[in-house]
Amino acid sequence: MMKKIFTSVLLLAACAYANAQKVQVLDRCESLGEKPTQWYSNGSQTKLSEDHKEGTYAISAKTEKAERLRKIYGQPFNTGVTKDNGYIAFWLFVERPELLNGNGQLALSSNASADKDAYGYPFGGLKIGSTKLVAGWNHVIAPLSSFKDIHDQPNLTAINYFRILLYNEKDDLTAQEIKIDNIRFSTDKAQLEASAK
């Protein structure tokens, strides 16, 4: 009897461990980092925000420039997924989505650049994946199978660059705050949804 209980406990622990491994966290957004591997926003200083969705902080920038947030990672990151089976998920705060023109891009690269060895995910309308952007926090999940190659495919076992672009309507230079938190990958969309709660 004790042996059966012990075996059951081991199996439960193994299952819990396997489930925990399904979500790979690229960035919890708890630190700005240090040059040259730090969060950066074109035309604005990035900062830590106590308005967050996970942990203690989120990364924030207030700018009208298209390049809202990007980061080069000093250590290549293994996403644990392929383009065919993987998803990326993160929390995105948009202060005023009505200022955006519906264009933009999410870029991932293994060459520390959005211009080589990169995938790009174009935003359609005001949607990223199946997430329609609203004012405030949005939980975004996008399938990597929908990403397009940008000058060769990135190595998903060695990602070292993340960038998000959001464009304002033409000639509208109104600055707005954008925040990001808890960037992660998984082959299991349900696990990503669960890990957002």
Side-chain angles (χ1 to χ4, degrees):
M1 179 68 175
M2 289 299 288
K3 186 175 180 182
K4 284 184 178 179
I5 292 172
F6 181 71
T7 302
S8 297
V9 169
L10 282 179
L11 285 172
L12 287 172
C15 288
Y17 179 78
N19 286 337
Q21 297 304 301
K22 288 183 180 178
V23 176
Q24 303 290 333
V25 180
L26 170 65
D27 202 319
R28 294 194 183 280
C29 302
E30 295 295 306
S31 167
L32 294 175
E34 297 180 6
K35 290 182 179 179
T37 58
Q38 69 182 54
W39 281 100
Y40 172 82
S41 178
N42 189 14
S44 171
Q45 180 127 19
T46 54
K47 65 179 184 178
L48 292 175
S49 171
E50 292 184 359
D51 175 25
H52 62 281
K53 294 303 290 186
E54 184 274 337
T56 306
Y57 299 107
I59 305 298
S60 170
K62 188 163 188 172
T63 178
E64 77 280 357
K65 303 290 186 181
E67 188 175 79
R68 302 296 177 155
L69 283 166
R70 70 172 163 89
K71 184 176 181 178
I72 296 173
Y73 291 88
Q75 295 294 321
F77 176 79
N78 184 352
T79 64
V81 303
T82 68
K83 187 178 181 186
D84 292 332
N85 70 11
Y87 295 85
I88 184 172
F90 54 92
W91 283 100
L92 179 68
F93 177 96
V94 182
E95 186 178 9
R96 297 179 62 189
E98 71 274 10
L99 296 180
L100 302 175
N101 67 9
N103 295 317
Q105 185 190 66
L106 174 64
L108 297 169
S109 169
S110 56
N111 195 39
S113 164
D115 299 320
K116 189 174 180 184
D117 301 329
Y119 285 144
Y121 185 89
F123 304 153
L126 286 176
K127 290 179 72 174
I128 306 174
S130 60
T131 305
K132 184 178 186 328
L133 296 182
V134 298
W137 283 105
N138 300 266
H139 186 236
V140 174
I141 299 179
L144 295 186
S145 59
S146 297
F147 281 57
K148 308 295 184 196
D149 297 349
I150 303 174
H151 306 294
D152 300 321
Q153 295 181 357
N155 179 354
L156 288 174
T157 68
I159 291 297
N160 60 6
Y161 181 87
F162 175 95
R163 182 181 75 178
I164 189 163
L165 299 176
L166 294 169
Y167 293 93
N168 277 15
E169 289 287 353
K170 188 176 180 182
D171 300 326
D172 190 336
L173 299 181
T174 305
Q176 67 165 312
E177 188 174 25
I178 301 293
K179 291 180 258 194
I180 196 161
D181 201 2
N182 200 19
I183 307 166
R184 54 214 189 282
F185 294 85
S186 182
T187 59
D188 189 332
K189 187 176 180 182
Q191 282 286 326
L192 289 171
E193 290 168 345
S195 69
K197 296 172 183 175

